[in-house]
Amino acid sequence: MSKIVILTGAGISAESGLGTFRDEGGLWAQHRIEDVATPEGFARNPDLVHQFYNARRAQSRMAKPNPAHFALAKLQKEHRGDVILVTQNVDSLHEAAGAQNVKHMHGFLDGALCARCDARWPAPLVMDKTLNCPTCNEQTTRPDIVWFGEMPYQMDEIYQHLSEADLFVAIGTSGNVYPAAGFVQEATASGADTLELNLEPSATISEFAQAQFGKASKIVPSWVETILP
C-alpha cells in the first residue's frame, strides 16, 4: 500500500467533545442550517452567523486530540508510502496531534475570509461584522468555512490523490454529504481497496470492500497497528 488516502468526518472529533449535526442539545440543534451555514444566511444576519462560529471556535480551541487523531498522525509519519489526510472537519485536531498538510475541504474555524477580495488570515477568537479585511480594508469578513451551496476547497488535488490511491479509508463519516460521499466510488474506479471505519454503517457502506465498527479512539489505532511494521 504505497499510497493511502484517508477521509475523516465529524465522528473522529466527537470523542474530543465536538458535536455533530445530529447531536441533540448541541450548537447545531439550536439553529437552522439555512441561517448559519449558507451565504444567504450570512447576508441576512451576519451577527447571528458570527456568534455561532465564535462559539464553535471557542469550543474547538478547548478540545484535545483523541487517540484516533494521534494514530493517524503516527501513520502519516511512519508509513513508507504517502498518507494523504482529507477532512470534512473544520477543527484543528489533526494538526494538534502532529498531522501535516491536512486537506480541509470544508474550511477552517481558525481562518478568516474576506467575502469581497478572498483574502485569508488567521481568525481571532471573536469575530464580528465590523472586522476589517487587512487587504482591502472592507468590513466584509466572514469565517473561512465552506457553506452549503459553495464549492469545497482543494477538490482538484483531492481527486488526483484518489485516482492514485492504493487504499481509501473513510473514518467517522455519515456518507450523506457530497462530494465527499462520492470519494469511495472515485477510489474504487481507480482500483483502490476501500475501508470504512465508523461507529455505525454510513449511507455508503455498500460501496466499501471492508468495514469495521466501533469508537474511533479504539478502532483507528488498532487498524493503524495493522499497517505499520
Side-chain angles (χ1 to χ4, degrees):
M1 296 177 188
S2 60
K3 185 164 190 174
I4 303 172
V5 178
I6 299 170
L7 171 70
T8 65
I12 199 171
S13 295
E15 291 181 71
S16 293
L18 299 184
T20 70
F21 280 115
R22 295 164 183 78
D23 286 344
E24 294 182 7
L27 281 173
W28 284 106
Q30 302 168 30
H31 300 280
R32 297 192 317 147
I33 289 173
E34 296 84 356
D35 293 335
V36 296
T38 64
E40 295 79 12
F42 184 66
R44 284 193 305 269
N45 194 341
D47 288 327
L48 174 65
V49 175
H50 277 303
Q51 290 168 11
F52 177 77
Y53 286 97
N54 287 343
R56 290 193 71 192
R57 192 176 302 109
Q59 183 187 55
S60 175
R61 291 188 183 182
M62 290 189 296
K64 303 295 183 184
N66 65 57
H69 296 103
F70 286 111
L72 293 182
K74 179 180 180 181
L75 177 65
Q76 191 181 53
K77 180 179 180 180
E78 298 182 12
H79 180 55
R80 293 174 182 172
D82 293 331
V83 176
I84 308 300
L85 277 176
V86 181
T87 188
Q88 295 172 279
N89 301 333
V90 294
D91 59 63
S92 58
L93 293 177
H94 282 304
E95 288 86 353
Q100 303 290 320
N101 301 316
V102 181
K103 315 300 180 189
H104 282 269
M105 61 181 293
H106 290 166
F108 203 40
L109 280 170
D110 286 332
L113 169 67
C114 178
R116 180 182 179 184
C117 74
D118 289 333
R120 287 178 168 84
W121 65 97
L125 180 60
V126 177
M127 294 171 60
D128 61 50
K129 65 183 180 183
T130 66
L131 190 63
N132 291 74
C133 169
T135 300
C136 70
N137 205 40
E138 294 294 321
Q139 291 183 344
T140 49
T141 296
R142 53 165 279 186
D144 191 9
I145 300 293
V146 176
W147 288 326
F148 287 90
E150 298 181 326
M151 180 63 68
Y153 296 152
Q154 299 177 273
M155 290 307 299
D156 288 345
E157 184 178 353
I158 291 169
Y159 280 127
Q160 181 64 39
H161 287 306
L162 289 169
S163 73
E164 299 167 350
D166 297 292
L167 173 64
F168 170 70
V169 185
I171 302 172
T173 64
S174 68
N176 289 313
V177 179
Y178 284 84
F183 287 177
V184 61
Q185 294 179 331
E186 293 286 335
T188 299
S190 298
D193 195 7
T194 56
L195 170 66
E196 176 171 299
L197 302 176
N198 223 338
L199 186 61
E200 56 188 25
S202 72
T204 54
I205 185 61
S206 63
E207 303 287 345
F208 288 86
Q210 302 176 63
Q212 298 176 30
F213 302 108
K215 290 184 176 182
S217 61
K218 300 293 185 183
I219 62 174
V220 174
S222 294
W223 169 69
V224 168
E225 287 180 4
T226 70
I227 300 297
L228 295 177

